[in-house]
Amino acid sequence: MNAPKMHEVPHLPCLRWGRPYGSLEFNEVRDCRSGAVCAEVSAVNAGLLRKDLKRAAEGRAALRRLSTAQLVDICARAGEAFLHGTLPLGDRGHQQSSEDYVVTLSATSGLPYMLVRRNMQRIHQALSRMGEILNGLTRGLPAEVLDRGWGRVSGAMCAFHAVTEVLGVVMPSNSPAVNSLWLPAIALKIPVLIKPGREEPWTPYRLIQAFLAAGAPAEAFGFYPTDHEGTAEILRACARVLLFGDQNTTRPYANDPRIQIHGPGYSKILLGEDEVDCWPQYLDLMTASIADNGGRSCINASAIVTPRHGDKIAAALAERLATIGPAPPEDELARLSAFANPKMAEAIDAAIEEGLKTPGAVDVTASKRPGPRLVRQGGAVYLRPTIVRCETFQHPLANREFLFPYASVVEVPQADMLNQIGPSLVVTAITRDAAFRQALLDSPLIERLNLGAIPTTRIAWDQPHEGNLFEFLYRRRALEIEESPAGGVAVMGGCA
């Protein structure tokens, strides 16, 4: 392979509150199949981050000069530009069409084109429906109250203040749609400082360019590729941070209220005693919950919990999932993602094999798939979908989550389910049992609860499945204002 000339590949600079900055240090982002360099990305150090964080208030001030209605309009225009537009890509004169984005992101992340386009649609929907999202996050606060920071709602005083000048965002590389989680911060008038995933700088950079094309102030956006020390500085210095990562990354911050963790979801499907005998009619739902988006999302189901029929359910799921295999990225039927880092695929495969050495678990898919779990094809590494039938929920593979379509099937009496399943980002409970439904509603271990035949991967824009960004960025306060004789307020002040 011939090394490309410097000018042939884009260079993504750091964006220091909108100002491009080329560093002497840079990372190469490579095609996971061919190894070709797709971009150079400037990398900055912790010292520069420390210096720039002192200027975050400038971005906050720029956003506060716009009304919420104006920012919602900007979000809608940014959504159109992101989905359809040709936007600047770096500082070497490159431009990126939406199709260029699909091809490049697929090349470096391993996602097939179809899944990239589906993620684009999700991001577009988040931007185009920002008014609806704000309504859900703020529980219906009027726009004028958001702009002013206080007002009367249903006759009661409502006031709040920002608890940070900037939202730090430490992004992953596994799924572009997770970028939709930071988008409301702009409409809520809080600047963002983004540390992109190493293999996925494309989505946050393109989103920032889309916002700029739509009229958002440049100083509201920081794009800071950095190393571990720089990441630690973001986590230390920002008053609020969204942190994406596995348990090893997120565990040290589990009890830090400044940091909202987006790690493994351990999402599950629970079959109630009253519905379990009808399990065949829910196979499509279970399959989609496990395999949608390449099985890479924290809202993918990683366990099926059932009071009986475990062997039959596992066998039926394995039969269906065995039909999903590696395919060229441009194949519109491709559903499995390649791994940008082959060592990660090898480590996951080894972890499952190690877990299977503990008695009480069987890889049901092993006899149904056309080869080993780990497969190399077209220069890329894939893991074929895997269903493991576990005898108990205490087995090491029963409550695990991996970055590909994986799920355990475990028999647990309905009465013991809530005692055994542990914390879960999403639970779909298929039951009409009123007492069981109430027990699920009362459980503090479930972040998002679906009652009925609803895939775990379904998203409701007005109900965030993980945290509430408005409540994370703002704090309610008590406020008394002297009323004027005319019935209005004598003192006007405060602003979001």
Side-chain angles (χ1 to χ4, degrees), residues 419-434:
N419 295 328
Q420 295 198 29
I421 62 173
S424 308
L425 177 59
V426 183
V427 164
T428 285
I430 301 175
T431 178
R432 292 182 172 84
D433 182 329

Side-chain angles (χ1 to χ4, degrees), residues 10-263:
H11 167 253
L12 305 190
C14 164
L15 297 177
R16 304 177 66 183
W17 305 125
R19 290 187 297 110
Y21 171 79
S23 172
L24 294 176
E25 301 290 330
F26 62 88
N27 299 319
E28 291 178 337
V29 186
R30 292 179 177 271
D31 186 315
C32 70
R33 294 176 176 81
S34 70
V37 177
C38 297
E40 294 169 345
V41 182
S42 270
V44 299
N45 58 35
L48 186 140
L49 273 160
R50 200 173 299 122
K51 177 181 177 182
D52 284 9
L53 276 165
K54 295 176 181 176
R55 295 181 45 229
E58 297 173 22
R60 169 98 168 109
L63 287 171
R64 292 179 73 182
R65 286 192 283 271
L66 298 167
S67 70
T68 298
Q70 288 174 313
L71 288 167
V72 168
D73 287 343
I74 285 172
C75 286
R77 293 198 296 273
E80 290 302 306
F82 176 79
L83 187 61
H84 301 297
T86 294
L87 297 166
L89 181 66
D91 57 2
R92 291 175 178 164
H94 293 84
Q95 297 283 308
Q96 183 189 58
S97 68
S98 58
E99 190 58 21
D100 293 337
Y101 166 78
V102 170
V103 173
T104 311
L105 177 55
S106 172
T108 63
S109 71
L111 286 168
Y113 293 3
M114 182 272 287
L115 292 184
V116 176
R117 293 193 179 100
R118 189 174 293 176
N119 278 264
M120 288 181 76
Q121 290 289 346
R122 286 192 173 185
I123 291 172
H124 173 260
Q125 288 181 28
L127 286 165
S128 62
R129 302 174 69 170
M130 189 56 68
E132 183 181 339
I133 291 173
L134 293 188
N135 187 61
L137 292 175
T138 66
R139 294 176 173 79
L141 285 180
E144 57 270 23
V145 174
L146 292 175
D147 286 333
R148 200 166 54 175
W150 63 273
R152 292 193 180 279
V153 180
S154 300
M157 178 63 77
C158 174
F160 52 88
H161 65 92
V163 295
T164 184
E165 297 284 2
V166 60
L167 175 65
V169 187
V170 180
M171 296 297 299
S173 293
N174 60 311
S175 179
V178 296
N179 283 272
S180 60
L181 295 179
W182 62 259
L183 298 175
I186 299 302
L188 290 169
K189 308 186 181 187
I190 302 294
V192 291
L193 186 156
I194 300 170
K195 184 261 178 187
R198 186 179 177 89
E199 287 90 18
E200 217 286 75
W202 314 104
T203 305
Y205 193 89
R206 182 172 174 84
L207 277 167
I208 292 172
Q209 298 306 317
F211 268 113
L212 299 184
E219 54 268 50
F221 300 93
F223 179 80
Y224 288 83
T226 187
D227 54 15
H228 291 299
E229 186 181 359
T231 301
E233 183 62 23
I234 294 171
L235 291 162
R236 185 196 68 79
C238 293
R240 290 292 184 269
V241 182
L242 302 184
L243 173 62
F244 296 81
D246 59 21
Q247 274 194 317
N248 291 333
T249 301
T250 60
R251 187 180 295 115
Y253 305 98
N255 297 314
D256 190 335
R258 301 176 304 111
I259 296 173
Q260 190 180 93
I261 290 174
H262 296 263

